[in-house]
Amino acid sequence: MDHFIWNMDPVMVSFMGLTIHWYGVLFATAIASGFQVIKHIYVREGLDVESLDNLLIYCVVGIVLGARLGHVLFYDPGYYFAHPAKILAIWEGGLASHGGTVGVVLAMYYYKLKVKLPFLFLLDRLAIATGIFCVFVRLGNLANSEILGVATDKPWGIIFERIDMVPRHPAQLYEALAYLVIFITLWLLYRYTEMKRREGALVGLFLALVFGARYLIEFVKVRQAEFALDWSLSVGQMLSVPFVLAGLTLLVMAYLRPPRDLR
């Protein structure tokens, strides 16, 4: 059986000592696309668009720091505690989405103190933008031939030639597709239903769907944490469960409270 061979150069362009990687470009695209979505929401709801500059800074810092610390603590603590200088070497790879989620929530809380808007109200809207952000991040992982799937004989298996010649599940594409569907779903619910009046409903659904999808896709991903290779569940799955439960809790509580008047 012939399988598609992926051998993309992770370097987009290199000129006079300046190297630009596809991952960096796609990460920047993720930030830009998420920013445009939240900006559209702010304009639509008559919120202070000028405050978005601060929101962008807070969220980028929160995502990067949270994702890096998450990777260090959850996936390879032994190595990083033995080589603490490597903790800062983000350019070498290693960002954990679970840590990034915690980081962006903390950043949003700090932003909330500045703009005096309800915390869950803000998280609901940020959740929509985060959906499209996640799509481009996983495409960046594809460009780097990382976050690999396990071997498969399925016709849609991909050979990542930079790694080996084994057909593998394209786990990055599975996640990117799942996040795209989640983004579209949240956007449609926001635009055409009263769900946006239920504070915590959209972010709750986001957490349940994103980390539910992550839990399932982990079954076909190569495990990243070497210390947990013989565990029944991967580290990613175990970290996803609390987020799914938190999302479901937020969703239920949103419908136990009276809806917010957005007029």
Side-chain angles (χ1 to χ4, degrees):
M1 182 183 298
D2 292 329
H3 293 277
F4 181 79
I5 296 178
W6 181 261
N7 190 27
M8 181 177 183
D9 188 343
V11 176
M12 179 181 179
V13 62
S14 183
F15 180 72
M16 296 182 64
L18 175 65
T19 301
I20 300 176
H21 291 77
W22 280 107
Y23 182 87
V25 172
L26 287 164
F27 195 89
T29 303
I31 293 171
S33 60
F35 181 80
Q36 289 303 314
V37 169
I38 198 73
K39 181 178 179 180
H40 178 83
I41 292 173
Y42 264 53
V43 171
R44 179 182 176 83
E45 298 196 15
L47 300 174
D48 181 14
V49 176
E50 292 185 0
S51 70
L52 286 178
D53 290 339
N54 290 332
L55 175 62
L56 178 62
I57 295 172
Y58 299 157
C59 285
V60 170
V61 172
I63 289 171
V64 174
L65 289 182
R68 184 57 173 176
L69 290 176
H71 176 77
V72 169
L73 296 175
F74 299 143
Y75 288 98
D76 206 354
Y79 171 79
Y80 288 105
F81 290 159
H83 306 86
K86 288 291 186 179
I87 294 176
L88 301 177
I90 297 177
W91 55 90
E92 295 182 358
L95 298 174
S97 57
H98 301 88
T101 301
V102 174
V104 77
V105 169
L106 293 176
M108 193 56 124
Y109 184 78
Y110 183 72
Y111 171 77
K112 168 255 183 190
L113 297 177
K114 303 291 185 180
V115 298
K116 309 299 183 183
L117 286 172
F119 188 44
L120 290 177
F121 172 88
L122 291 170
L123 287 181
D124 282 335
R125 281 129 188 91
L126 183 66
I128 304 171
T130 305
I132 194 65
F133 171 88
C134 293
V135 174
F136 286 103
V137 170
R138 280 297 177 253
L139 292 179
N141 296 136
L142 177 66
N144 273 355
S145 295
E146 59 189 8
I147 315 295
L148 298 175
V150 297
T152 181
D153 59 359
K154 302 297 183 183
W156 58 83
I158 293 179
I159 295 174
F160 294 89
E161 193 173 43
R162 293 181 57 242
I163 307 301
D164 54 34
M165 297 302 294
V166 177
R168 298 177 178 276
H169 282 284
Q172 319 94 325
L173 291 180
Y174 294 167
E175 287 195 56
L177 179 60
Y179 299 153
L180 179 60
V181 171
I182 292 168
F183 163 70
I184 294 173
T185 299
L186 291 175
W187 177 254
L188 293 176
L189 289 173
Y190 168 77
R191 283 294 307 272
Y192 300 110
T193 75
E194 292 296 301
M195 197 172 186
K196 58 181 169 289
R197 299 179 58 208
R198 301 281 181 176
E199 290 187 357
L202 288 171
V203 68
L205 184 61
F206 169 83
L207 291 173
L209 291 178
V210 164
F211 289 102
R214 174 70 183 272
Y215 181 92
L216 295 175
I217 296 171
E218 283 283 325
F219 283 112
V220 296
K221 288 170 65 175
V222 173
R223 297 196 175 189
Q224 295 175 272
E226 293 187 5
F227 63 84
L229 293 179
D230 58 346
W231 294 4
S232 57
L233 296 177
S234 71
V235 171
Q237 287 174 314
M238 290 188 291
L239 291 173
S240 294
V241 170
F243 285 93
V244 172
L245 294 177
L248 294 175
T249 300
L250 285 170
L251 190 57
V252 171
M253 291 178 62
Y255 283 90
L256 294 178
R257 293 188 296 265
R260 177 182 176 85
D261 187 357
L262 298 179
R263 291 177 299 175

